[in-house]
Amino acid sequence: MSISQTFPQSGNAIIDRHHAELSRLVSRLSHAWIMDQDMDTFKTAINLFISQLQDHFETEISIIRSAGFAGWERHESDHNFIIRQMTKLADTPGEDFMYQFIDEAERTVFEHELLGDQEYWAVLDQSPVDVLISWDDSLLVHDEAIDKHHLALVNLLNRLYNSLSDNMDQTVFLDGFMQIYGFTKIHFEHEENQLGKVSPAIAQAHIRDHARLLAELRRTIERFRKEPSMEDARVLMRDFVRFWLTDHIIVYDKPFFDQQG
């Protein structure tokens, strides 16, 4: 039985998909070791695993924080500890290095994703989905241009989500989502330019955060093009986009713009 088959559902399809991808990467590490591949090949697989693990952790925090999980800071601290431990092990190869790293990677995936993540399952199960994103004062950053952009994004997402149906033409959904993707890029560039005038450091952090979202959306779009499914469309919007957008506004945008006011 593969690792991915043993994972229970978390209540969020994007998180579950990440778990399955991580388990496949662990299997790839094991395959590289069993086939006695050279160290460069193994190190490449290690770097990919750590990179994917970090991306997953960041996405997971955005989702559970926005969903209202009170223990997100402790969970994020656990993530940081795991990344430090995995990176340290990767940087200090020695005797039985490959076996030790695979063992640690497998233990990390099992213990954290199966045990630690159970803390937030109930929160995700209770997340409302009738309205994708409800606009209220909590999402205001009190910058007229940025608030207009955010409201436009919320309206576009709600409109597309409410139009989803099993018999919806998949091309229509893809066209609609590409319009949202294009507007998101324009908004991000505007936001980054505005932040850069005040704080280059904050602007750079935003650029990294924006790049991660756009990469996730591009991957999802490409996956949808190859295997079109309206259920995947619902999953994308319900289990990732709504959490990421509200989390980004409240946690990253709002504190900065509030200070400027």
Side-chain angles (χ1 to χ4, degrees):
M1 181 179 293
S2 67
I3 294 174
S4 60
Q5 289 175 308
T6 67
F7 281 129
Q9 301 298 296
S10 69
N12 183 280
I14 298 298
I15 290 176
D16 293 337
R17 184 179 295 163
H18 282 195
H19 288 169
E21 290 171 354
L22 285 170
S23 72
R24 284 193 290 270
L25 288 177
V26 173
S27 297
R28 188 179 301 176
L29 286 170
S30 299
H31 179 76
W33 176 57
I34 292 171
M35 299 302 292
D36 198 24
Q37 294 182 357
D38 61 83
M39 182 58 72
D40 287 341
T41 301
F42 192 73
K43 286 287 288 184
T44 298
I46 283 177
N47 291 335
L48 179 61
F49 172 77
I50 293 177
S51 175
Q52 291 285 90
L53 184 65
Q54 190 156 17
D55 285 348
H56 162 62
F57 283 166
E58 290 172 349
T59 298
E60 185 177 85
I61 290 299
S62 292
I63 291 172
I64 65 176
R65 180 168 53 199
S66 182
F69 176 53
W72 71 265
E73 288 180 298
R74 182 182 67 256
H75 207 73
E76 185 176 46
S77 178
D78 291 342
H79 288 173
N80 294 336
F81 176 78
I82 289 170
I83 292 296
R84 287 196 301 270
Q85 291 298 103
M86 299 301 296
T87 302
K88 180 179 179 181
L89 186 57
D91 290 341
T92 54
E95 188 176 357
D96 294 329
F97 162 67
M98 293 184 179
Y99 174 79
Q100 290 176 13
F101 190 90
I102 292 169
D103 186 62
E104 182 68 17
E106 190 171 38
R107 185 187 64 79
T108 296
V109 171
F110 269 112
E111 289 190 1
H112 181 71
E113 308 303 351
L114 284 178
L115 303 179
D117 285 2
Q118 288 189 26
E119 295 178 334
Y120 64 67
W121 287 356
V123 174
L124 295 183
D125 286 341
Q126 295 170 9
S127 298
V129 294
D130 291 339
V131 176
L132 193 67
I133 301 174
S134 296
W135 180 265
D136 56 37
D137 288 351
S138 70
L139 297 177
L140 291 173
V141 302
H142 303 291
D143 178 285
E144 185 177 1
I146 300 297
D147 281 334
K148 284 183 178 179
H149 279 206
H150 288 163
L151 177 58
L153 273 173
V154 167
N155 288 338
L156 286 169
L157 288 166
N158 282 337
R159 182 179 181 184
L160 184 59
Y161 183 73
N162 290 336
S163 71
L164 291 177
S165 64
D166 290 335
N167 60 357
M168 183 182 190
D169 190 304
Q170 293 155 352
T171 304
V172 173
F173 169 78
L174 192 57
D175 287 346
F177 201 81
M178 286 302 297
Q179 291 173 7
I180 293 171
Y181 178 86
F183 182 78
T184 301
K185 284 189 66 177
I186 293 172
H187 164 63
F188 283 170
E189 290 168 2
H190 176 86
E191 194 173 78
E192 290 158 9
N193 288 335
Q194 191 159 338
L195 291 171
K197 295 175 184 177
V198 180
S199 173
I202 292 177
Q204 286 300 314
H206 260 63
I207 288 171
R208 290 192 296 270
D209 198 45
H210 291 165
R212 186 172 63 252
L213 173 64
L214 291 175
E216 180 78 28
L217 296 184
R218 284 194 301 272
R219 286 193 296 269
T220 305
I221 288 169
E222 288 307 310
R223 187 184 297 118
F224 186 85
R225 279 182 173 146
K226 293 176 182 177
E227 299 179 9
S229 162
M230 294 317 299
E231 182 57 33
D232 280 350
R234 293 186 185 90
V235 165
L236 166 66
M237 303 190 74
R238 183 193 66 219
D239 288 354
F240 178 69
V241 174
R242 71 181 176 119
F243 289 124
W244 186 92
L245 181 59
T246 54
D247 181 73
H248 179 76
I249 293 172
I250 293 172
V251 175
Y252 295 96
D253 289 352
K254 194 173 177 63
F256 175 80
F257 284 103
D258 282 350
Q259 289 177 3
Q260 303 312 303

